[in-house]
Amino acid sequence: QVQLVQSGAEVKKPGASVMVSCRVSGDTLTEVSLHWVRQVPGKGLEWMGGFDPENGDTIYAQKFQGRVSMTEDTSTDTAYLEMSSLTSEDTAMYFCAQGHGSGSYVWFDPWGQGALVTVSS
Amino acid sequence: SSELTQPPSASVSPGQTVSITCSGDKLRNKYASWYQQKAGQSPVLLIYQDKRRPSGIPERFSGSNSGNTATLTISVTQSMDEADYYCQAWDRSAGVVFGGGTKLTVL
């Protein structure tokens, strides 16, 4: 059974970058399609992007294209989310989640515990 | 605003049945999934492909999808079911879309 363990909380200043990690156990990263979802405090879930096995590429939500990069280190089974040009509106909990399905459907299970990123001057 | 519309809140008495809807064009001819998120916790998958339950999810959680509306039904609701519930679908142009969430109160 796959488990996802994320890195700890981060505090960043506006304009900085942040990198959040998600380590996979119970399987190898090459067998898992990872996605990233964020949640602003008190708000709903927002998909940022993830691996699409149908085309074998990482896809990004339009809102985050150009500012977010999702990478993987298969030697350590760890995925990374890097976001640049942070503003206070990026203060949120960032979750990684395993995606299942492809094409016309996808669902997420399990989810990591989340990593809180706070952007404050 | 979300492309999938959910009521912001719902309430139910213990032991009763409650249904939470999720509507939007992004659901038409698409599969819906549902997640439960309790306060301070990560989301948990309840339903996928409209009506399938992962192992470990009680049978009192069920799902359906017709036209452009998906529905999550919780029967014999328990106090532990008090949580936020989110629907989700996949759209080829937008990618993954979530509903705005429904806060369920068990009175």
Side-chain angles (χ1 to χ4, degrees), chain A residues 26-43:
Chain A
D27 206 337
T28 62
L29 187 53
T30 55
E31 298 296 323
V32 171
S33 296
L34 271 189
H35 290 249
W36 293 89
V37 176
R38 79 174 185 180
Q39 186 172 36
V40 171
K43 302 297 184 182

Side-chain angles (χ1 to χ4, degrees), chain B residues 43-67:
Chain B
V44 172
L45 177 70
L46 291 177
I47 299 288
Y48 66 102
Q49 288 187 299
D50 293 340
K51 58 185 178 182
R52 295 178 179 266
R53 268 190 322 275
S55 61
I57 299 301
E59 291 183 7
R60 53 199 185 78
F61 291 95
S62 62
S64 64
N65 188 1
S66 179

Side-chain angles (χ1 to χ4, degrees), chain B residues 52-99:
Chain B
R52 295 178 179 266
R53 268 190 322 275
S55 61
I57 299 301
E59 291 183 7
R60 53 199 185 78
F61 291 95
S62 62
S64 64
N65 188 1
S66 179
N68 65 346
T69 300
T71 303
L72 172 71
T73 299
I74 309 173
S75 58
V76 194
T77 306
Q78 302 179 9
S79 57
M80 68 170 62
D81 299 331
E82 191 160 283
D84 294 328
Y85 292 85
Y86 294 91
C87 61
Q88 172 254 311
W90 165 264
D91 179 79
R92 182 150 296 280
S93 60
V96 172
V97 290
F98 285 97

Side-chain angles (χ1 to χ4, degrees), chain A residues 90-103:
Chain A
D90 295 315
T91 293
M93 187 71 81
Y94 290 79
F95 296 100
C96 60
Q98 180 181 4
H100 301 264
S102 65

Side-chain angles (χ1 to χ4, degrees), chain A residues 35 37 39 43-47 52 54 59-62 95 102-114, chain B residues 29-31 33 35 37 41-45 47-49 54 84 86 88-90 92 94-100:
Chain A
H35 290 249
V37 176
Q39 186 172 36
K43 302 297 184 182
L45 302 173
E46 182 176 31
W47 177 74
D52 182 0
E54 187 166 281
I59 52 177
Y60 298 92
Q62 187 172 10
F95 296 100
S102 65
S104 63
Y105 56 93
V106 65
W107 65 93
F108 302 122
D109 180 48
W111 295 59
Q113 84 276 22
Chain B
N29 300 318
K30 302 290 175 55
Y31 283 115
S33 302
Y35 303 87
Q37 186 180 33
Q41 298 184 19
S42 303
V44 172
L45 177 70
I47 299 288
Y48 66 102
Q49 288 187 299
D84 294 328
Y86 294 91
Q88 172 254 311
W90 165 264
R92 182 150 296 280
V96 172
V97 290
F98 285 97

Side-chain angles (χ1 to χ4, degrees), chain A residues 5-13 17-22 36 81 86 90-95 113-120:
Chain A
V5 178
Q6 299 185 233
S7 49
E10 301 267 7
V11 179
K12 296 293 182 180
K13 293 192 182 300
S17 297
V18 69
M19 180 173 280
V20 177
S21 69
C22 174
W36 293 89
L81 169 73
L86 293 169
D90 295 315
T91 293
M93 187 71 81
Y94 290 79
F95 296 100
Q113 84 276 22
L116 180 63
V117 175
T118 303
V119 183
S120 173

